[in-house]
Amino acid sequence: MRRSRAFIPTTKEAPSDASLASHIYLSRAGFISQVASGLYSYMPLAKRVIKKIENIINEEMTKAGAEEVELSFVTPASLWQESGRIEKFGKELLRFRDRKENLFVLGPTHEEMMVDMVRNRVTSYKQLPINLYQIKTKFRDEARPRFGLMRGREFIMKDGYSFHASVADMDREFDAMEAAYKTILTRLGLDFRIVEADSGAIGGSGSKELMVLAGSGEDTIAVCSKCEYGANVEAAKRSGRVTIPEAPVAEFNKFKTPNVKSIEDLEEFFKVDGYYTMKCVAKRAVYEDDSEVVLFFVRGCDTLQEVKAQNATGALDIVDVSEEELRELGLIPGFIGPLEQGCAKHVIDIDLRDAKSMICGANEEEYHFVNVDMSVMSEAYYADIAAVNEGDICPYCNGTLSFTKGIEVGHIFKLGTTYSAVLKAEFLDENGKAQPFVMGTYGMGVSRLVAAVIEQHHDDKGCIWTKTTAPYMVNIMISNIKETPQVELGEELYAKLQAAHVEVMLDDRKERFGFKMNDAELIGFPYTIIIGKELENGLVQIFDRKTKESFSVSKDEVFSKIMDLI
RNA sequence: CGGGGUGUAGCUCAGUAUGGUUAGAGUACCUGGUUUGGGACCAGGGGGCCGAAGGUUCGAGUCCUUUCACCCCGACCA
């Protein structure tokens, strides 16, 4: 492509509302154009990058035995009513009616559509397994879209669904998809981690997220210093802590503790480590038809992980409760403990099972119990509800956990029969018995990947595309188009590289050197061939965007040199 | 969905407290000229329903009411 003919509207200034590097540079370099909140148009450069990513996904999916399909974007609301998700998704589903007043939904994900396509067509275990995927625009009417392509309302996603006759076969496919996703992200040139994730209300026996590591990521993930373990903090586990403080020595007793309400007060009052105190976090668990107050107990040095807490109760949502509500139930905020207290349901963190030497509220104004032995509460409901801390011990080895930020670019689920059962998608097994399909689902955010590449690969000058994602591999810059020899060499190289199937841009604009260089750095071509002053000595320069270094080569060798580099 | 903020030239923004000729700057764009290794310089030029609707007033970008859009924090995000 000739730069003089290309539609690449670069600007010196970023949109005032852009804060993330990917948003700023993709806007400034003329990749994307915002049209409304969470809606972006892809200009030529972005379109090229998207195609590259899609091609890599297609290649790896094909290798893994998956078949590409395309489901309609507009989906009948009746399918969503059938699965029950029309309520669950709520306002995120954009609904509208056609001229015949039939209700439709813009597809935010396509489990229902895919199941609908397969059910009654695949009817025997002999036809299984199958794995179908598509790469398509999705629409979720997010309450608050933000960060450019990172969290748009309309976005491109690869979504795949596999159908199996057994859980074991689904597990096999799940592992194969994980491996394929690993290959895809590696080929894209990304530094990533596959982590264990919260499966959420949708259930299923397991899920993993693919996290591109970047400081600007919205998710916090815990990673092990020694082994491969990584998990979203919403799901991270631990096996304990490195050092356990010395236990306080005391007899079981009820102590008067005036004005000692917070954990800090307790630690100060008894001169004891927070490890031996018990914190109560009261929440209201909201279910489909009713709600109740639930008391969550964790060690004073821990914090409640709300996603885990929600999962432990099976609630649809958990919300804060006021002190007044607690008092109405007969609870005394600041002095709530698990002993001798039956006002509300308890969930106790597993780390407190059989804990000794604990201090907890006595459910009486200004009193705490000391030297509590939790083994007396062995019948209580224990669950993993505490957030892991940096420095906690890995659940699989003796390494320690540390936190890092990640961008979720993929999520793979073992769905099981969640959808097939409710949508009555069944096959006949070897015994002629009807069984719902066992399913897996595999998502990857294509447009989010575009942003993720830049979040991980940029500098203060602009984008630094990896070789497999770059919209053009080589940029030929003619420093001064009034110098005929420069133009001639530029044209010659341009023709030669095109003939060699290299994606090449020829910057033939009547602009000054500095202007064109800044432009090239902003766009982020991996290599720029600078044809300029040194041509008098038979030399041109090759500029490497990643290292920002350039070196001279003779004009006769530049073609073979660039072919070596790419 | 709660709280806050902003809408003026393609873009980034002044101007609005205290209403007053023809609404400004930088940048981008067009013309001509000089430049040509890190976003050049000079001269000339085009470009605005001041988000929208209604109101107050002799007079509204500015004051009042309504509304829409966009952004930020939070909640939400299988």
Side-chain angles (χ1 to χ4, degrees), chain A residues 426-493:
Chain A
E426 299 175 332
F427 65 96
L428 293 183
D429 67 12
E430 298 92 320
N431 306 315
K433 198 176 161 227
Q435 304 274 6
F437 295 114
V438 180
M439 293 178 62
T441 177
Y442 320 97
M444 185 170 260
V446 176
S447 45
R448 184 178 278 183
L449 271 168
V450 176
V453 171
I454 297 310
E455 284 306 319
Q456 199 173 78
H457 301 278
H458 68 272
D459 61 16
D460 58 346
K461 292 291 223 171
C463 307
I464 305 175
W465 294 100
T466 60
K467 287 183 185 177
T468 45
T469 57
Y472 289 91
M473 181 65 84
V474 177
N475 177 45
I476 302 171
M477 191 190 94
I478 301 169
S479 298
N480 186 346
I481 62 158
K482 286 189 178 169
E483 296 286 336
T484 312
Q486 290 185 16
V487 176
E488 284 174 350
L489 179 60
E491 294 284 353
E492 183 193 324
L493 279 172

Side-chain angles (χ1 to χ4, degrees), chain A residues 42-55:
Chain A
Y42 305 117
M43 295 192 278
L45 290 180
K47 188 64 192 167
R48 292 182 73 93
V49 175
I50 288 166
K51 276 190 180 167
K52 299 229 158 172
I53 296 172
E54 290 178 348
N55 285 342

Side-chain angles (χ1 to χ4, degrees), chain A residues 283-287 290-294 313 321 329 344-345:
Chain A
K283 295 277 177 185
R284 178 170 292 280
V286 181
Y287 304 100
D290 60 344
S291 73
E292 64 177 331
V293 169
V294 179
T313 58
V321 290
L329 284 171
K345 189 172 161 185

Side-chain angles (χ1 to χ4, degrees), chain A residues 368-416:
Chain A
H368 278 83
F369 289 125
V370 300
N371 196 27
V372 173
D373 183 341
M374 287 300 287
S375 57
V376 303
M377 291 205 66
S378 56
E379 298 300 305
Y381 175 38
Y382 288 88
D384 176 17
I385 55 170
V388 300
N389 302 300
E390 281 197 278
D392 285 349
I393 298 170
C394 172
Y396 296 108
C397 73
N398 61 355
T400 55
L401 300 176
S402 62
F403 290 170
T404 181
K405 290 282 182 182
I407 300 165
E408 183 192 339
V409 296
H411 201 160
I412 55 178
F413 273 89
K414 292 181 180 179
L415 277 183

Side-chain angles (χ1 to χ4, degrees), chain A residues 241-256:
Chain A
R241 62 194 65 234
V242 180
T243 51
I244 294 186
E246 200 181 323
V249 181
E251 292 292 306
F252 175 77
N253 208 338
K254 186 154 82 175
F255 240 83
K256 188 164 173 69

Side-chain angles (χ1 to χ4, degrees), chain A residues 25-228:
Chain A
Y25 292 133
L26 290 173
S27 302
R28 280 192 53 205
F31 284 72
I32 58 172
S33 158
Q34 183 174 12
V35 291
S37 179
L39 303 181
Y40 291 84
S41 293
Y42 305 117
M43 295 192 278
L45 290 180
K47 188 64 192 167
R48 292 182 73 93
V49 175
I50 288 166
K51 276 190 180 167
K52 299 229 158 172
I53 296 172
E54 290 178 348
N55 285 342
I56 289 174
I57 292 173
N58 279 328
E59 285 173 22
E60 295 305 324
M61 282 300 117
T62 303
K63 265 188 225 168
E67 290 178 283
E68 188 175 17
V69 297
E70 183 160 347
L71 307 177
S72 78
F73 181 35
V74 173
T75 66
S78 56
L79 267 180
W80 295 84
Q81 282 154 353
E82 195 180 341
S83 73
R85 285 212 293 181
I86 197 150
E87 283 86 23
K88 189 167 263 169
F89 253 98
K91 288 186 173 174
E92 266 188 48
L93 281 183
L94 184 63
R95 301 141 201 241
F96 56 94
R97 289 177 189 279
D98 68 3
R99 68 205 302 166
K100 289 181 280 188
E101 290 296 310
N102 291 321
L103 191 60
F104 287 89
V105 163
L106 280 190
T109 173
H110 279 170
E111 280 82 3
E112 284 84 351
M113 289 286 285
M114 196 66 87
V115 169
D116 182 56
M117 187 169 75
V118 168
R119 65 177 169 182
N120 303 326
R121 290 197 172 93
V122 174
T123 50
S124 159
Y125 73 96
K126 293 174 194 165
Q127 295 166 292
L128 295 173
I130 56 172
N131 187 336
L132 303 172
Y133 76 97
Q134 64 170 345
I135 297 175
K136 188 141 178 118
T137 296
K138 301 285 184 289
F139 191 92
R140 295 183 187 176
D141 200 357
E142 292 256 6
R144 187 148 98 85
R146 60 192 119 170
F147 304 142
L149 292 189
M150 203 68 88
R151 182 178 287 281
R153 289 192 292 173
E154 187 179 296
F155 56 97
I156 302 170
M157 183 163 91
K158 175 264 166 180
D159 51 324
Y161 310 85
S162 64
F163 298 79
H164 309 272
S166 70
V167 171
D169 196 50
M170 175 195 69
D171 288 345
R172 177 202 51 75
E173 189 75 1
F174 183 87
D175 293 343
M177 285 293 114
E178 179 178 340
Y181 272 27
K182 224 171 188 168
T183 307
I184 291 166
L185 293 186
T186 303
R187 285 185 63 186
L188 291 173
L190 291 166
D191 185 13
F192 64 96
R193 195 103 182 190
I194 299 182
V195 304
E196 292 181 10
D198 170 47
S199 294
I202 202 70
S205 54
S207 86
K208 288 187 176 180
E209 288 170 336
L210 287 92
M211 293 286 187
V212 169
L213 303 182
S216 56
E218 288 191 82
D219 291 282
T220 301
I221 55 185
V223 295
C224 176
S225 59
K226 284 193 180 163
C227 74
E228 283 282 294

